[in-house]
Amino acid sequence: MEISNNTVVGLTYELKVSKEEGEIESVPFSVEIRDEEDPFYFIFGQSGLPEKFEEMLIGKKEKDTFGFIIKAEEAYGEADDELIMALPKNQFTKENGFEPGMLDEGNFLPLIDENGYPMQAKVLKDLGEEVLLDFNHPLVGFDLHFEGEIFEVREATPEELDHGHVHGEHGHQH
């Protein structure tokens, strides 16, 4: 079976990133590995990854390997200055689930948006009464280098399509 809309895809990959600084591109470095111990499963069309990622997999089958680069503009784009903001430190209390060290510069804070969806922000600077946070995706501005292998392609069940996620051994348990 080939990867197409409404199929469940199971794959492994290594993600490396690089960044262009003027005329010079950095050497790609590894940021994520999804191996046989922790494969990535998704319903095609609903991976949550850049659209170009799924486009590059259309028509592939079990046992096919892949390797491609998604340029920053087709991945997570460039940084948006409007997503960098200062918030009062008193919002990050122990009662709200935050520990003191979580606000250290460079840390990623696990947050929830107004609709209840998980998100994260990188702590850029302690400003005293406020903390400067960057809500841009952590891979914004990077070219994404994917190499991997497809090891499962199957039709999504009506229930999976209805719920929008994979069920079973490698998916969501209800």
Side-chain angles (χ1 to χ4, degrees), residues 2 14-15 46 51 62 68-69 72 84 98 101 107 109 115 121 125 137 153 159 162-163 168 171 173:
E2 291 186 356
E14 180 175 12
L15 170 59
Q46 302 178 40
E51 200 175 294
E62 284 183 28
F68 51 83
I69 298 171
I84 297 174
F98 295 95
N107 283 349
L109 292 177
N115 298 318
K125 190 160 184 67
H137 190 283
V153 181
E159 185 180 40
D162 187 47
H163 291 187
Q173 307 294 326

Side-chain angles (χ1 to χ4, degrees), residues 81-102:
D81 290 341
E82 291 186 17
L83 294 177
I84 297 174
M85 52 192 76
L87 296 177
K89 271 191 191 172
N90 63 13
Q91 290 185 2
F92 304 100
T93 63
K94 192 172 197 122
E95 295 77 42
N96 289 339
F98 295 95
E99 299 295 327
M102 293 175 81

Side-chain angles (χ1 to χ4, degrees), residues 27-171:
V27 173
F29 60 93
S30 184
V31 294
E32 183 179 28
I33 295 176
R34 298 295 296 263
D35 58 17
E36 294 82 10
E37 302 290 316
D38 182 29
F40 180 53
Y41 273 82
F42 64 97
I43 297 174
F44 191 82
Q46 302 178 40
S47 71
L49 291 172
E51 200 175 294
K52 189 74 174 175
F53 175 82
E54 292 193 17
E55 283 178 25
M56 300 301 285
L57 297 176
I58 291 174
K60 294 204 176 293
K61 303 185 277 303
E62 284 183 28
K63 308 254 187 289
D64 283 355
T65 59
F66 58 89
F68 51 83
I69 298 171
I70 303 174
K71 292 297 208 180
E73 54 273 9
E74 292 186 287
Y76 295 103
E78 298 300 327
D80 181 348
D81 290 341
E82 291 186 17
L83 294 177
I84 297 174
M85 52 192 76
L87 296 177
K89 271 191 191 172
N90 63 13
Q91 290 185 2
F92 304 100
T93 63
K94 192 172 197 122
E95 295 77 42
N96 289 339
F98 295 95
E99 299 295 327
M102 293 175 81
L103 294 179
D104 292 348
E105 291 179 22
N107 283 349
F108 285 91
L109 292 177
L111 302 171
I112 299 197
D113 72 10
E114 61 274 359
N115 298 318
Y117 293 106
M119 58 187 282
Q120 64 181 3
K122 183 177 182 178
V123 179
L124 296 179
K125 190 160 184 67
D126 184 336
L127 302 172
E129 296 295 312
E130 296 181 318
V131 61
L132 188 64
L133 300 176
D134 183 351
F135 287 89
N136 283 292
H137 190 283
L139 297 178
V140 74
F142 285 98
D143 293 342
L144 310 180
H145 304 247
F146 285 95
E147 284 189 32
E149 182 177 355
I150 314 291
F151 63 85
E152 184 175 348
V153 181
R154 66 170 173 79
E155 285 293 326
T157 66
E159 185 180 40
E160 288 171 325
L161 293 173
D162 187 47
H163 291 187
H165 55 252
V166 178
H167 291 170
E169 180 185 353
H170 298 286

